[in-house]
Amino acid sequence: QVQLVESGGGLVQAGGSLRLSCAASGDTICISDMGWYRQAPGKERELVAVIGSGGRVNYQDSVKGRFTISRDNAKNTLYLQMNSLKPEDTAVYYCNADCIRPIIGSHEVWGQGTLVTVSS
């Protein structure tokens, strides 16, 4: 099995930066795509950014130019560098991974989330 643990959240003023990390453990060889999602108070969870196993990346328009997703496969770690933070970025940020195994298929793995609060 795979476990994901996020870290790096906290309180930051608007315009500041944070770097989130997601450490994967267990049967990490099964992991293909990984991504960051967020859920703000009173809103639905939304995709922030996704990165493929080969490094292909995609971002939601609202974070393009401000956030950078990356992964270190050797360390089994996913990152989200967040710059120029805005109050509307306030949310619980979740790490997600697709785990694919031969024959038995695939499933999604989620971390517990880390809270990012951006004050104005």
Side-chain angles (χ1 to χ4, degrees):
Q1 61 186 50
V2 174
Q3 299 84 38
L4 303 175
V5 179
E6 302 97 334
S7 62
L11 176 64
V12 64
Q13 293 190 64
S17 298
L18 284 173
R19 184 178 186 244
L20 306 183
S21 298
C22 171
S25 61
D27 190 16
T28 58
I29 195 171
C30 77
I31 295 175
S32 56
D33 296 346
M34 300 187 75
W36 288 99
Y37 290 72
R38 66 186 182 187
Q39 187 166 21
K43 296 187 178 296
E44 296 183 352
R45 189 176 302 183
E46 65 178 0
L47 177 67
V48 177
V50 63
I51 183 168
S53 60
R56 301 183 308 275
V57 299
N58 283 289
Y59 300 92
Q60 291 296 324
D61 288 343
S62 64
V63 306
K64 287 181 179 178
R66 300 189 297 122
F67 291 10
T68 302
I69 188 171
S70 62
R71 65 194 293 174
D72 187 335
N73 291 333
K75 295 182 177 180
N76 298 313
T77 303
L78 177 73
Y79 303 97
L80 185 68
Q81 178 66 47
M82 305 185 296
N83 299 324
S84 302
L85 283 162
K86 305 174 181 179
E88 49 263 46
D89 295 318
T90 295
V92 177
Y93 284 71
Y94 296 92
C95 178
N96 169 266
D98 292 329
C99 179
I100 301 176
R101 293 189 172 91
I103 305 301
I104 63 174
S106 64
H107 68 278
E108 290 189 344
V109 182
W110 292 90
Q112 83 290 346
T114 185
L115 177 62
V116 172
T117 303
V118 184
S119 64
S120 60

